[in-house]
Amino acid sequence: MDNHLILPAFYLPPVPYFSAIQNNAKPILIEQHENYIKQSYRTRASVYSANGQLDLIVPVQRGRNGHTQMKDVQISNDWNWQRLHWMSLQTAYRSSAYFEYYEDDFAPFYTRRYEWLFEYNMEQLEVLMRLLKINREITFTQSFREDYAPDTDFRQTIHPKRKPEMGKPYYQVFESKHGFIPGLSVVDLLFNHGPQSKDYL
């Protein structure tokens, strides 16, 4: 598996996640056997609201011992978080150039009830890959390994607590208020730049 790009299963992954995919021709191997990591992009997506960066967090059920494999993490549907997330996305991007163009692709993720976080994130990844016109083979880990080659292992390198590289700025709806914010969810790029998003990556 050393000839694969090792990626975690993120919720609406950030731009650097797709830059890693676009800039590496290796097949994609998604990690499903790692222990769930709190306060990471596995349950968090950052978008650009009128007030600046806004984090959307998927609530999950807590395991008894805190060591639940990613594939076994259940979403907590005790409150209607999906409605809140969808309203936040609409408010943030309704005035962007391509939100209405892609709206129907994302709406089902906020109306259909999901039980498993891994399934939820993977279905989103498939949609995002299709919209970005990235055609790559995706497989899944069969067990957990720590010793992948560092240049292909992105399980720990893309994290909310790590300041993202500035990267090349692109137009963002509210940048006149708060400036360019790097490292947001790729939907920020997609809703603002549509079919040109792949060229940016």
Side-chain angles (χ1 to χ4, degrees):
M1 293 301 178
D2 290 325
N3 62 338
H4 284 67
L5 186 64
I6 317 301
L7 293 168
F10 283 169
Y11 169 52
L12 296 179
V15 170
Y17 186 97
F18 287 94
S19 292
I21 292 174
Q22 187 66 4
N23 294 307
N24 193 314
K26 294 181 179 180
I28 297 168
L29 185 66
I30 300 293
E31 175 64 79
Q32 63 174 342
H33 290 279
E34 65 178 356
N35 285 336
Y36 166 69
I37 300 173
K38 298 177 182 178
Q39 299 181 352
S40 71
Y41 288 124
R42 288 153 185 81
T43 52
R44 176 183 310 217
S46 299
V47 298
Y48 204 150
S49 75
N51 296 318
Q53 182 172 319
L54 173 67
D55 290 340
L56 305 177
I57 300 171
V58 179
V60 297
Q61 296 184 19
R62 303 294 180 205
R64 289 181 184 174
N65 59 10
H67 297 293
T68 306
Q69 289 190 354
M70 184 64 188
K71 67 181 180 61
D72 297 323
V73 174
Q74 290 184 274
I75 295 173
S76 174
N77 290 300
D78 293 341
W79 60 282
N80 197 353
W81 63 271
Q82 288 171 290
R83 180 174 181 273
L84 177 63
H85 284 207
W86 186 234
M87 288 175 61
S88 298
L89 287 169
Q90 288 177 311
T91 302
Y93 296 109
R94 178 61 70 192
S95 62
S96 66
Y98 291 95
F99 180 80
E100 290 186 1
Y101 186 76
Y102 296 120
E103 185 175 7
D104 290 344
D105 291 295
F106 291 95
F109 293 110
Y110 301 97
T111 53
R112 175 186 159 193
R113 184 184 175 99
Y114 285 82
E115 183 177 0
W116 304 101
L117 178 65
F118 189 82
E119 174 194 14
Y120 186 61
N121 290 355
M122 289 313 305
E123 287 190 17
Q124 287 182 339
L125 179 61
E126 290 174 7
V127 168
L128 288 163
M129 297 273 282
R130 173 173 57 81
L131 297 179
L132 291 165
K133 295 181 171 54
I134 299 174
N135 185 19
R136 298 283 287 285
E137 179 188 356
I138 296 178
T139 55
F140 305 99
T141 57
Q142 298 303 307
S143 60
F144 181 75
R145 262 184 63 185
E146 289 187 8
D147 59 342
Y148 293 110
D151 61 330
T152 63
D153 186 353
F154 287 86
R155 292 174 296 178
Q156 303 293 336
T157 56
I158 304 173
H159 194 282
K161 292 183 179 178
R162 291 193 176 195
K163 188 174 182 180
E165 293 182 15
M166 189 63 179
K168 181 182 175 183
Y170 59 86
Y171 171 77
Q172 295 172 320
V173 172
F174 299 110
E175 68 176 316
S176 61
K177 291 185 177 182
H178 307 285
F180 177 72
I181 301 179
L184 297 180
S185 168
V186 76
V187 298
D188 181 77
L189 176 64
L190 195 62
F191 292 153
N192 283 306
H193 292 274
Q196 288 77 45
S197 299
K198 184 177 180 180
D199 294 335
Y200 174 85
L201 297 172

